Amino acid sequence: MSNLDTLESELLTAIENAGSESALEDVRVAALGKKGSISEQMKTLGKMTAEERQVMGPALNGLKAKITTAIAARKDVLADAALEARLASETVDVTLPMRPSPTDTGRIHPVSQVIDELTAIFADMGFSIAEGPDIETDELNFTALNFPEGHPAREMHDTFFFNEKEDGERLLLRTHTSPVQIRTMRTEEPPIRVIIPGRTYRCDSDQTHTPMFHQVEGLVIDKESHLGHLKWILEEFCKAFFEVDDIKMRLRPSFFPFTAPSMEIDIQCDRSGGEVKIGQGDDWLEILGCGMVHPNVIRNCGLDPDVYQGFAWGMGIDRIAMLKYGMPDLRAFFDADVRWIQHYGFRPLDLPTLFGGLSS
Ligand code: DAH
């Protein structure tokens, strides 16, 4: 057996015996690396006579090719075996239940849902959304809205005041969303059509009152809008929101400093079965206050009440949410009890739309 034959059979045995990809790599380096046995043999070609080289050249190249092929083949076998071993050890039980994703377990709070619902309804009628800060000045919360200093209507708002500042100004937590009417009229050119959802605060707590609650205000200001338009808008809103074909409404005279005339609106309901059903029966339920914006308020915003007119309304969001979804106690809205939100909450991807259905 020639030297080359011996080398070949030694290398083939080593390749066959390599038990892992890294052991095989060692064999490759030992044969074909810079100082490998085949490479060393190659280097001797230069010193050979032409005749010797004619024989040894092809023989060495043949050996190199054979070993390279053998290593590649062994590598495939080892990679397959490694994969088999991994598959055997890392079993996956495809029958196990999947871990639910946050979009399955998370819930949207009914107040957020109802804000989305009423936004969808009013946006469809051409309203945009306006917002203002929770901490307000006395001027915007009261004075500009035509509550004169010392007027008893101020007392009815059970206001949370901050401590007086050095300059004597006393900020407060807004008691209603109406100050955003002023902010809007002072910054936007009529025609104005906005709804203003947001948090409001009053020092009050029982089954249907919490110190923080939500209102949505509506404001329309232009040159000709009147109570007929207001009635139509609120009727359409109530039908869409309570998802009923028809609803009877009753307008009762009332008083708000910032509207004249002022009204409260009741909607038809049925209380006979222990729960309140909207759009049937012959009982009434108050749901909002409204009226034509008082000329003083329009003037306080720098607009001429002989040119501009319009109407506004204010509605409790929590209250209409309780009515629509049958939630008896308002305080539970803000208890952060996960069982409550799992029961009354909405699935995150079921966004309310007019075409898809508000609450389906
Ligand atoms: N701001 C009133 C409240 O909190 C609600 C209200 C009544 C708002 C009549 C209005 C309105 O815009 O016109 O009791």
Side-chain angles (χ1 to χ4, degrees), residues 157 175-176 178 181 202 215 217-218 256 258-259 289-291 312-314:
H157 275 221
T175 57
H176 49 179
S178 307
Q181 285 190 29
R202 287 186 204 181
Q215 286 191 337
E217 191 90 6
F256 302 102
F258 37 89
T259 43
C290 61
W313 70 90

Side-chain angles (χ1 to χ4, degrees), residues 18-164:
S20 68
E21 287 183 81
S22 74
L24 181 64
E25 176 63 6
D26 291 344
V27 175
R28 188 192 68 77
V29 172
L32 302 169
K34 250 191 188 162
K35 295 204 167 113
S37 46
I38 295 179
S39 312
E40 290 296 336
Q41 293 274 343
M42 292 285 207
K43 286 179 199 159
T44 62
L45 286 175
K47 292 179 194 132
M48 290 180 192
T49 62
E51 294 81 49
E52 279 175 325
R53 203 178 306 131
Q54 247 177 10
V55 179
M56 284 303 280
L60 271 174
N61 278 327
L63 174 61
K64 190 177 170 184
K66 201 166 186 180
I67 294 304
T68 306
T69 311
I71 288 174
R74 180 71 185 149
K75 197 169 178 172
D76 284 347
V77 171
L78 289 172
D80 283 351
L83 181 62
E84 286 295 330
R86 219 179 121 197
L87 288 176
S89 66
E90 289 177 16
T91 49
V92 175
D93 184 349
V94 293
T95 64
L96 282 177
M98 283 208 299
R99 187 175 297 171
S101 76
T103 48
D104 291 323
T105 50
R107 286 291 176 271
I108 300 296
H109 195 285
V111 170
S112 305
Q113 168 80 15
V114 164
I115 290 177
D116 287 349
E117 291 181 16
L118 55 90
T119 303
I121 298 168
F122 284 116
D124 189 53
M125 296 188 205
F127 283 78
S128 48
I129 299 215
E131 284 180 310
D134 292 13
I135 298 176
E136 230 356 320
T137 60
D138 196 280
E139 203 262 328
L140 287 162
N141 196 80
F142 291 125
T143 316
L145 284 162
N146 200 34
F147 286 77
E149 299 278 348
H151 192 283
R154 287 191 179 222
E155 310 306 314
M156 287 163 58
H157 275 221
D158 298 314
T159 313
F160 286 112
F161 287 101
F162 287 85
N163 292 336
E164 236 173 59

Side-chain angles (χ1 to χ4, degrees), residues 141 145 147 156-157 175-179 181 196 200 202 213 215-219 230 254-264 286 288-294 311-316:
N141 196 80
L145 284 162
F147 286 77
M156 287 163 58
H157 275 221
T175 57
H176 49 179
T177 40
S178 307
Q181 285 190 29
I196 305 156
T200 46
R202 287 186 204 181
F213 57 106
Q215 286 191 337
V216 59
E217 191 90 6
L219 176 69
L230 170 70
S254 181
F255 172 78
F256 302 102
F258 37 89
T259 43
S262 303
M263 282 152 292
E264 278 172 323
E286 182 207 317
L288 60 91
C290 61
M292 293 301 289
V293 178
H294 197 292
F311 49 82
W313 70 90
M315 186 160 47

